[in-house]
Amino acid sequence: GQQLNQSPQSMFIQEGEDVSMNCTSSSIFNTWLWYKQDPGEGPVLLIALYKAGELTSNGRLTAQFGITRKDSFLNISASIPSDVGIYFCAGQLPGGSEKLVFGKGTKLTVNP
Amino acid sequence: NAGVTQTPKFRILKIGQSMTLQCAQDMNHNYMYWYRQDPGMGLKLIYYSVGAGITDKGEVPNGYNVSRSTTEDFPLRLELAAPSQTSVYFCASSSRTSGRVVYEQYFGPGTRLTVT
């Protein structure tokens, strides 16, 4: 099946630092979504991107839909302890599919 | 709105037993999905439904069955539990607005299943 390569797999940062993570694919996607999963919880939608080149912010989070439609990145500025969790990217393939393809996640640890 | 709810939260099954994982949503969403999440892995789609009475297989459907008799409910059935089905199961839903599918999926809290 289709695969999304998400990197890095894990990050250990100090509180206050900025964070950047990305997803790439060999396939074109129509939509990119970024989710956060807290321990023991379901994923929660952070940002949805629908157009190539689109740059969208949600508080301290900023995500971009790559121009080639094969990648997306998520930035977190001035990290805080509650940013800890696993961040997943997800993409929707062209052709009107209702299905999403998920990356394997980036596990973020923030040291106070 | 409660959003997407799942029951039970935890369950331990013996090999060969069967059970149904329940999922309900109160957002009037057309589309519903079942995923499994194994440690260190992303979410893998088991089954999905685009409306009441319509279901289709995802990436990993073997060993599972679903039904969608109402818009609100989408139960997942395990007939003969196997250790390989030990996982965390998530239900999700999404909607269609003005003829356009809204791809944002909203997830339930998950069911943690252990098969021993």
Side-chain angles (χ1 to χ4, degrees):
Chain A
Q2 300 294 335
Q3 292 219 345
L4 289 181
N5 301 308
Q6 189 169 351
S7 65
Q9 269 190 307
S10 61
M11 303 181 74
F12 297 84
I13 62 169
Q14 293 296 123
E15 183 177 356
E17 288 184 357
D18 297 343
V19 172
S20 184
M21 58 190 80
N22 68 80
C23 266
T24 60
S25 175
S26 57
S27 301
I28 289 172
F29 286 88
N30 276 355
T31 302
W32 285 94
L33 305 167
W34 285 93
Y35 286 86
K36 183 192 177 200
Q37 185 178 27
D38 292 329
E41 303 291 332
V44 174
L45 182 67
L46 298 174
I47 292 177
L49 302 159
Y50 285 97
K51 293 180 182 178
E54 181 180 356
L55 184 72
T56 297
S57 294
N58 178 6
R60 293 178 295 105
L61 279 61
T62 302
Q64 185 158 28
F65 192 146
I67 290 290
T68 65
R69 295 169 63 192
K70 294 182 178 181
D71 61 350
S72 177
F73 72 76
L74 175 71
N75 285 344
I76 306 173
S77 63
S79 59
I80 59 177
S82 62
D83 290 333
V84 164
I86 302 176
Y87 292 80
F88 291 99
C89 62
Q92 181 257 334
L93 292 164
S97 172
E98 300 83 5
K99 295 180 284 187
L100 296 177
V101 178
F102 283 83
K104 293 184 179 180
T106 294
K107 186 175 181 179
L108 179 64
T109 302
V110 180
N111 296 316
Chain B
N1 286 354
V4 180
T5 57
Q6 292 182 240
T7 57
K9 202 163 178 62
F10 303 94
R11 185 72 186 268
I12 299 174
L13 281 182
K14 294 191 187 304
I15 294 171
Q17 286 185 323
S18 62
M19 78 164 291
T20 299
L21 282 66
Q22 301 291 345
C23 174
Q25 53 90 12
D26 61 1
M27 297 175 283
N28 202 30
H29 283 175
N30 310 85
Y31 304 123
M32 296 187 74
Y33 312 81
W34 273 105
Y35 293 91
R36 60 177 287 171
Q37 183 179 38
D38 298 316
M41 304 297 288
L43 294 155
K44 293 191 176 179
L45 184 65
I46 305 172
Y47 270 96
Y48 68 104
S49 168
V50 300
I54 307 170
T55 62
D56 207 348
K57 296 178 180 177
E59 185 182 356
V60 290
N62 291 346
Y64 307 95
N65 276 302
V66 293
S67 59
R68 184 99 180 267
S69 57
T70 66
T71 300
E72 294 79 17
D73 301 298
F74 191 39
L76 177 72
R77 179 83 178 162
L78 283 70
E79 290 294 350
L80 289 170
S84 60
Q85 293 177 306
T86 294
S87 191
V88 182
Y89 291 85
F90 290 101
C91 180
S93 70
S94 62
S95 69
R96 174 183 286 271
T97 303
S98 301
R100 182 176 74 85
V101 176
V102 178
Y103 295 104
E104 294 115 22
Q105 293 182 14
Y106 296 89
F107 285 81
T111 294
R112 281 143 191 84
L113 177 66
T114 302
V115 182
T116 62

